[in-house]
């Protein structure tokens, strides 16, 4: 393994980004670690899966995460917009189960800019909004020598190049270590 490779580009503060794939929640927790502060996580209350503090405490302090369960897609967008605009949190993660229209996406971007907050929408593949600043495909990759490795593919970037990275979370150093540039 090498640490001399450049890491993925940082996500712009005051913008909303998107991630999809089975590694999306890990991407969100790594981002939460880098944002350093309170995190609002918005999700529909019908979801049966749970966020387990034992699973994410290597990335963030569970006391910094506030879970907000909403009744539907519209309410999730409204809560995310209010949280982004508030300026009181470092990161807003919203799990979306439906498409975001261009107008809804622009509203989220304007709220993030106003609140100087980073936003991350966890979406299903093919659901992306044209308003998103970046879009990431995130998935775990099996490697017999590394306990947990991921591949993050930057598939949309309004302000730069795209690329792919294979990386792992160094829980001792509390940072992402790049293993290699990956081929998508």
């Amino acid at each position: 393994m090498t640490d001399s490779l450049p890491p993925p580009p940082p996500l712009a503060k005051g913008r909303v980004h998107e991630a999809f794939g089975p590694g999306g929640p890990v991407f969100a927790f790594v981002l939460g670690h880098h944002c350093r502060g309170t995190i609002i996580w918005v999700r529909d209350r019908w979801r049966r899966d749970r966020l387990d503090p034992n699973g994410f405490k290597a990335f963030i302090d569970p006391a910094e995460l506030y879970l907000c369960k909403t009744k539907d897609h519209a309410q999730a967008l409204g809560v995310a917009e209010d949280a982004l605009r508030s300026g009181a949190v470092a990161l807003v993660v919203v799990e979306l189960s439906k498409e975001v229209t261009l107008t809804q996406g622009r509203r989220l971007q304007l709220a993030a800019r106003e609140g100087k907050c980073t936003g991350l929408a966890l979406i299903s593949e093919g659901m992306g909004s044209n308003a998103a600043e970046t879009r990431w495909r995130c998935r775990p990759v099996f490697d017999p020598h590394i306990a947990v490795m991921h591949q993050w593919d930057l598939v949309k970037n309004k302000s730069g190049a795209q690329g792919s990275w294979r990386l792992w979370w160094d829980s001792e150093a509390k940072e992402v270590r790049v293993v290699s540039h990956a081929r998508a």
Side-chain angles (χ1 to χ4, degrees), residues 75-97:
Q75 189 178 53
L77 289 172
V79 168
E81 184 179 336
D82 288 346
L84 287 164
R85 183 173 285 110
S86 74
V89 297
L91 174 65
V92 175
V93 178
V94 59
E95 293 182 53
L96 297 174
S97 55

Side-chain angles (χ1 to χ4, degrees), residues 21-39:
V26 171
F27 185 87
F29 290 124
V30 170
L31 178 58
H33 171 77
H34 289 287
C35 287
R36 303 205 187 278
T38 302
I39 300 165

Side-chain angles (χ1 to χ4, degrees), residues 105-165:
R106 284 295 302 141
R107 288 180 62 95
L108 291 174
Q109 292 295 1
L110 291 170
R113 184 175 67 196
E114 186 178 324
K116 297 177 180 69
C117 179
T118 302
L120 179 67
L122 296 178
I123 61 171
S124 295
E125 187 167 1
M127 257 183 42
S129 166
N130 287 333
E133 182 71 16
T134 63
R135 186 172 304 123
W136 297 81
R137 179 186 307 115
C138 307
R139 59 189 171 95
V141 177
F142 175 74
D143 186 300
H145 306 293
I146 300 174
V148 180
M149 187 163 67
H150 284 263
Q151 180 163 326
W152 293 349
D153 304 317
L154 180 54
V155 297
K156 175 188 177 181
N157 187 356
K158 284 188 172 182
S159 54
Q162 298 176 2
S164 295
W165 294 264

Side-chain angles (χ1 to χ4, degrees), residues 22-30 39-45 47-57 59-69 91-95 120 122:
V26 171
F27 185 87
F29 290 124
V30 170
I39 300 165
I40 300 288
W41 193 296
V42 183
R43 63 194 332 232
D44 291 333
R45 68 175 165 224
R47 292 183 180 272
R48 296 290 177 230
D49 58 329
R50 301 174 77 175
L51 296 176
D52 182 358
N54 291 317
F56 62 78
K57 69 181 179 184
F59 304 98
I60 62 168
D61 178 355
E64 293 290 326
L65 183 123
Y66 293 87
L67 181 60
C68 180
K69 293 186 176 184
L91 174 65
V92 175
V93 178
V94 59
E95 293 182 53
L120 179 67
L122 296 178

